[in-house]
Amino acid sequence: SGGREHALALKLASSRRVQHVFVAPGNAGSVGPNISPVALLDFAAISAFCKDKAVGLVAVGPEAPLEAGIADALQREGIRVFGPSASAARLESSKSFAKQFMQRHNIPTAPFRVVSSKDEAIAAAKDIGAPVVLKASGLAAGKGVLLPEDDAEFAAALDALFVKKEFGAASDEVVVEQRLEGEEVSVLAFSDGFSIVPLAPAQDHKRLLDNDVGPNTGGMGAYAPAPVATPAVMQQIHQRVLLPTIHGMRREGVRFVGVLFVGLMVTPPTAPAGQTEPFYVLEYNCRFGDPETQAVLPLLDSDLFCIMSACVDGVLDSTPVDILPNASAVAVVCASSGYPGGYAKGKAIQGVVEAECAEGVTVYYAGAQRAGDQVITSGGRVLAVSAVSQKGLPDAISRAYTAVEHVKFEGVQFRRDIGARALKRLENAGKGVSYEDAGVSIEAGDSLVERIKPLVKRTANAGSAADLGLKGVFDVLAMGYRNPLLVSGTDGVGTKLMLAHATGIHTSVGIDLVAMCANDVLMQGAAPLFFLDYYATGKLQVPLASAVISGIVEGCLQSGCALIGGETAEMPGMYHGEDYDLAGFCVGAVEKDNLLPRQVVPGDVLLGLASSGVHSNGFSLVRHLIKLNGISYADKPSFESTAATLGEALVTPTRIYVKSLLPFLEDRDSGLKALAHITGGGIVGNVPRVLPKGTYAEVDAKAWPLPPLFRWLRSLGNVSADEMLKTFNCGIGMVAVVAADKAASVAARLAESGETVFSLGTVKGATDSKPACCVDVLHKSVLEA
């Protein structure tokens, strides 16, 4: 038993509902009025002991028993256990399983490969790009993560993993992943398998020596809350990591009960271009962390036993989990000389009583045992001195180090900079008022520009010279036009942005933005030439904004237009936190005699080009239907889809039709006369806009199958056919009006270019019973079938 178990035992013993706490096997801290050690390790012996003593709850501390299935074994005997099953504990016991799980459930994590040999690891590292991290997939006592700095260290790490087998069977599989930059943060959260509630975010100090140098250890100290995990960041972590993890496990048939410990890397504003997410999951642990527990548990202002019981019973959502307000905690580990290598044992420990005399200080024993009247060292990390203060982190740090000075044993070593990174943040916050203090970061804006420059350069065309960059200048004549008209289109993405936030998928809305504008320009017969974007947010997060703009770049590439400028507006108070809004502006050109629409007459055929999904309209209704039915965006789609989650299916980007349709627009003899982009208003609202007076469109709803996604949406709220047709594209993203004698050849050529084409109906002459410029939908009842 270590410091974590001592902290858990003390917290549980403080509950009015707990009569006695037994700690197996225990250490020097497992002695008290209602705490005692028991020399038990065997599952059968533990089970028998629990039955004999009428133990009401078993809380599992370390990872090895969880991997071995202690929770399963005790539950089979009718004993209540706070801790995950062996299946759920695979999130920690198999890093390869954990990484693949995150990939399946769209949880942000670094690019990776799972390998089982040196050659595979070398190939993976080359594919991912240096620097990389090497992780033994199995449990390795917290020491199976290697961070080689150069080729020599990389080769040595491979030898340690695959040749010398320093981590035993744990390195039979190895995860090779991208090295991330930023600040690490640890989030420990209670879960009953249905809901999940985090404790205060903590920051561990893994390196042995000050300033984060020296060998890796199990942890030399921690503090909480870590200011890098702001309330806005924690909200995102809850939505994008904690909930998807618990829901993902349940969808895979496993209920996670216990503490989920997530190690994350928070991306800084100046991160490399490939690091686009605001944070990434580094690892999962399926139990309380050490020494994080010694920092976060003292801040818990609720009954730990009640919380654990609620998790076991599946009623966590009705149980208070309160954090001590305005409080900070610091835990400083005192270790044996020689740790994390070899160290001597049996050294007498003195000064603990004096240390605990200080206000808010508790000493948690780890590698320490009682020998008569003495307490002696028995492990590498001997104890942790924890201090709590409601006067701020600096006071908590001061209390902890004042207490540490009382602790004496031969060879004692400890870091003197626990919490220093947070103090630096607080110091910077105390400087004179600046523009950044008002919520606007010039540095972040500059960083964003530098990150997107290489992306923007990819969109250049003949009219946007490479040296013009993001200057908003375009040479129309360089595109070869003789007598052009300029056509403009401007649009946004609407409430689909809320799904981007809910799912964490932001690239697709960038494509949507270009698609909405470029497809509109196309309706006039014009080829998109250039694009400008407007990105407004309350707090500029460079990775998030980069992801959006990378989508805009992809949309420009699909449309053949250059991204020549834009505006990024950081407006704290106007928008909430990292929420953002988008607007786009596209300009195209068309020769005067090719302008659309042209000479639409009765008898012309309506060809429908399939959409890729909901596109960018109707999401207010989509969100309303999903909320009414209590559905999660993290759920697996209930309709036929290749997407892993419902959210992923819904944020599928709008299809861009430019490259498929441009050849017809440039050829007046192609037979194409008009185009209708099916956006807000659906087919019934958009097709009439391209029809001349005295005509109407007759569309047969049986002409194309209503895609599974739209059938599912209709079923959620018994949505009528009329409502479906005027709200959604219903599977048709663009309608082309084509001369009857050219319809077959146009449809065939579009199909060859990759479009799915349907003959929807024809243009009719208006009569007294049919008002001019309308759409008459025949057999629309099939939409309700």
Side-chain angles (χ1 to χ4, degrees):
S1 300
R4 166 185 53 211
E5 286 72 29
H6 187 188
L8 287 168
L10 285 179
K11 196 70 174 179
L12 286 168
S14 69
S15 171
R16 287 180 295 178
R17 295 183 56 187
V18 173
Q19 294 180 357
H20 201 90
V21 176
F22 299 99
V23 185
N27 63 14
S30 307
V31 176
N34 59 343
I35 303 176
S36 57
V38 288
L40 298 170
L41 288 175
D42 177 74
F43 291 179
I46 292 173
S47 176
F49 178 86
C50 290
K51 292 178 180 179
D52 180 56
K53 298 292 185 180
V55 170
L57 179 71
V58 173
V60 184
E63 63 273 21
L66 292 170
E67 180 192 28
I70 187 171
D72 309 80
L74 296 181
Q75 285 167 355
R76 283 194 295 268
E77 298 297 320
I79 299 167
R80 301 169 75 243
V81 181
F82 177 81
S85 64
S87 293
R90 284 185 299 163
L91 286 173
E92 177 173 7
S93 62
S94 172
K95 288 184 173 60
S96 61
F97 170 82
K99 294 288 284 190
Q100 290 158 355
F101 174 88
M102 287 183 260
Q103 191 175 58
R104 286 195 298 275
H105 296 284
N106 197 37
I107 295 168
T109 191
F112 71 97
R113 301 287 186 276
V114 177
V115 302
S116 55
S117 69
K118 285 179 64 174
D119 290 342
E120 289 179 1
I122 292 169
K126 184 177 180 181
D127 186 32
I128 293 170
V132 296
V133 182
L134 302 172
K135 298 180 177 181
S137 180
L139 295 179
K143 299 176 183 178
V145 178
L146 305 176
L147 293 85
E149 298 293 344
D150 51 36
D151 290 344
E153 289 188 11
F154 180 70
L158 294 184
D159 281 342
L161 290 162
F162 294 110
V163 179
K164 299 177 182 177
K165 300 293 285 186
E166 292 180 7
F167 305 101
S171 63
D172 288 349
E173 281 189 325
V174 171
V175 173
V176 182
E177 68 179 38
Q178 176 189 348
R179 177 94 64 92
L180 300 172
E181 294 183 13
E183 273 194 63
E184 291 189 37
V185 65
S186 302
V187 177
L188 284 69
F190 294 108
S191 176
D192 61 0
F194 304 98
S195 58
I196 185 164
V197 181
L199 290 164
Q203 192 167 81
D204 186 13
H205 296 64
K206 287 293 186 186
R207 299 282 188 169
L208 178 69
L209 305 175
D210 291 356
N211 301 314
D212 291 323
V213 298
N216 265 337
T217 70
M220 293 299 294
Y223 67 91
V228 67
T230 64
V233 169
M234 284 299 293
Q235 182 181 25
Q236 283 203 56
I237 289 171
H238 191 263
Q239 291 296 321
R240 297 190 55 198
V241 177
L242 300 182
L243 284 174
T245 300
I246 296 307
H247 292 161
M249 290 298 286
R250 199 167 70 251
R251 282 197 302 276
E252 295 189 10
V254 180
R255 178 185 165 209
F256 188 101
V257 176
V259 164
L260 181 69
F261 174 155
V262 186
L264 302 108
M265 181 72 78
V266 179
T267 303
T270 56
Q275 202 168 319
T276 58
E277 295 284 359
F279 47 76
Y280 294 82
V281 175
L282 300 176
E283 65 174 353
Y284 288 118
N285 291 318
C286 296
R287 35 74 192 183
F288 284 97
D290 190 336
E292 291 90 347
T293 301
Q294 294 92 301
V296 299
L297 268 193
L299 299 178
L300 179 64
D301 201 24
S302 295
D303 189 309
L304 179 60
F305 175 79
C306 292
I307 295 170
M308 289 181 169
S309 294
C311 289
V312 174
D313 297 336
V315 292
L316 178 61
D317 60 350
S318 61
T319 302
V321 181
D322 297 324
I323 306 300
L324 195 65
N326 304 315
S328 298
V330 178
V332 179
V333 169
C334 295
S336 297
S337 177
Y339 175 80
Y343 50 84
K345 300 179 182 180
K347 305 299 182 182
I349 304 169
Q350 297 176 333
V352 171
V353 173
E354 292 81 357
E356 290 193 314
C357 286
E359 182 182 1
V361 171
T362 304
V363 175
Y364 298 111
Y365 284 113
Q369 296 291 339
R370 294 189 179 272
D373 295 334
Q374 283 190 317
V375 177
I376 59 173
T377 64
S378 61
R381 291 187 295 170
V382 175
L383 55 82
V385 177
S386 175
V388 178
S389 174
Q390 289 184 282
K391 297 179 181 179
L393 182 62
D395 188 60
I397 293 173
S398 176
R399 291 183 184 187
Y401 279 107
T402 298
V404 165
E405 294 299 329
H406 290 287
V407 175
K408 308 292 181 183
F409 58 87
E410 184 181 333
V412 60
Q413 58 173 330
F414 56 90
R415 283 183 59 159
R416 298 179 182 273
D417 65 344
I418 304 302
R421 189 179 289 115
L423 289 180
K424 186 176 181 180
R425 282 180 172 271
L426 294 173
E427 179 184 345
N428 290 337
K431 292 180 179 178
V433 177
S434 66
Y435 200 16
E436 188 166 1
D437 294 328
V440 180
S441 173
I442 300 298
E443 179 186 0
D446 292 342
S447 175
L448 176 63
V449 172
E450 291 304 312
R451 290 181 71 166
I452 66 176
K453 277 183 178 178
L455 301 175
V456 172
K457 191 174 181 180
R458 296 171 55 205
T459 70
N461 56 26
S464 61
D467 61 339
L468 295 180
L470 289 165
K471 297 179 181 178
V473 180
F474 194 88
D475 185 353
V476 178
L477 295 181
M479 299 298 291
Y481 287 94
R482 294 175 289 102
N483 189 24
L485 292 174
L486 295 183
V487 178
S488 64
T490 185
D491 212 332
V493 183
T495 59
K496 189 174 185 179
L497 291 173
M498 299 181 74
L499 270 76
H501 279 292
T503 61
I505 304 172
H506 296 276
T507 305
S508 62
V509 293
I511 300 173
D512 286 316
L513 186 66
V514 180
M516 296 300 288
C517 300
N519 286 341
D520 279 354
V521 165
L522 194 67
M523 287 175 56
Q524 310 301 316
L529 299 179
F530 62 84
F531 189 86
L532 299 99
D533 68 85
Y534 176 75
Y535 181 100
T537 181
K539 177 65 176 177
L540 180 59
Q541 290 290 340
V542 174
L544 190 156
S546 298
V548 174
I549 294 173
S550 69
I552 292 173
V553 166
E554 175 59 29
C556 287
L557 292 173
Q558 292 183 29
S559 304
C561 62
L563 179 58
I564 66 168
E567 168 69 7
T568 301
E570 190 171 23
M571 297 185 285
M574 182 69 73
Y575 297 91
H576 177 69
E578 296 156 9
D579 288 352
Y580 63 89
D581 198 6
L582 294 175
F585 184 75
C586 183
V587 172
V590 56
E591 299 291 357
K592 280 186 178 181
D593 53 0
N594 282 341
L595 191 67
L596 292 184
R598 54 178 178 248
Q599 299 176 338
V600 175
V601 299
D604 287 342
V605 174
L606 305 172
L607 296 180
L609 281 64
S611 67
S612 55
V614 182
H615 283 187
S616 300
N617 294 99
F619 276 94
S620 292
L621 178 56
V622 170
R623 292 184 301 105
H624 182 62
L625 291 170
I626 288 173
K627 183 177 180 180
L628 283 177
N629 287 271
I631 299 169
S632 169
Y633 293 117
D635 290 345
K636 187 175 181 181
S638 300
F639 50 87
E640 183 181 343
S641 173
T642 58
T645 66
L646 172 61
E648 183 182 332
L650 289 172
V651 298
T652 299
T654 303
R655 188 168 182 81
I656 297 174
Y657 301 96
V658 174
K659 292 184 178 179
S660 297
L661 289 170
L662 267 183
F664 299 97
L665 304 180
E666 296 166 351
D667 178 9
R668 285 187 63 87
D669 296 327
S670 67
L672 195 151
K673 298 183 175 184
L675 291 172
H677 184 201
I678 309 305
T679 57
I683 288 177
V684 296
N686 287 280
V687 174
R689 297 175 185 173
V690 303
L691 299 180
K693 290 183 178 181
T695 64
Y696 73 95
E698 187 174 78
V699 175
D700 189 349
K702 292 195 299 183
W704 81 98
L706 187 67
L709 168 56
F710 293 99
R711 291 202 303 270
W712 177 74
L713 286 170
R714 193 210 64 77
S715 70
L716 290 182
N718 193 28
V719 184
S720 70
D722 286 332
E723 193 68 28
M724 291 291 294
L725 285 166
K726 73 181 184 182
T727 304
F728 301 119
N729 66 57
C730 292
I732 302 296
M734 184 76 78
V735 173
V737 183
V738 184
D741 61 337
K742 301 292 182 66
S745 63
V746 170
R749 288 172 61 190
L750 284 170
E752 289 175 1
S753 69
E755 302 293 344
T756 301
V757 186
F758 303 97
S759 182
L760 304 180
T762 57
V763 176
K764 302 281 188 179
T767 64
D768 291 340
S769 62
K770 300 289 185 183
C773 298
C774 77
V775 172
D776 185 33
V777 183
L778 302 175
H779 304 109
K780 61 186 176 185
S781 61
V782 300
L783 299 177
E784 298 176 336

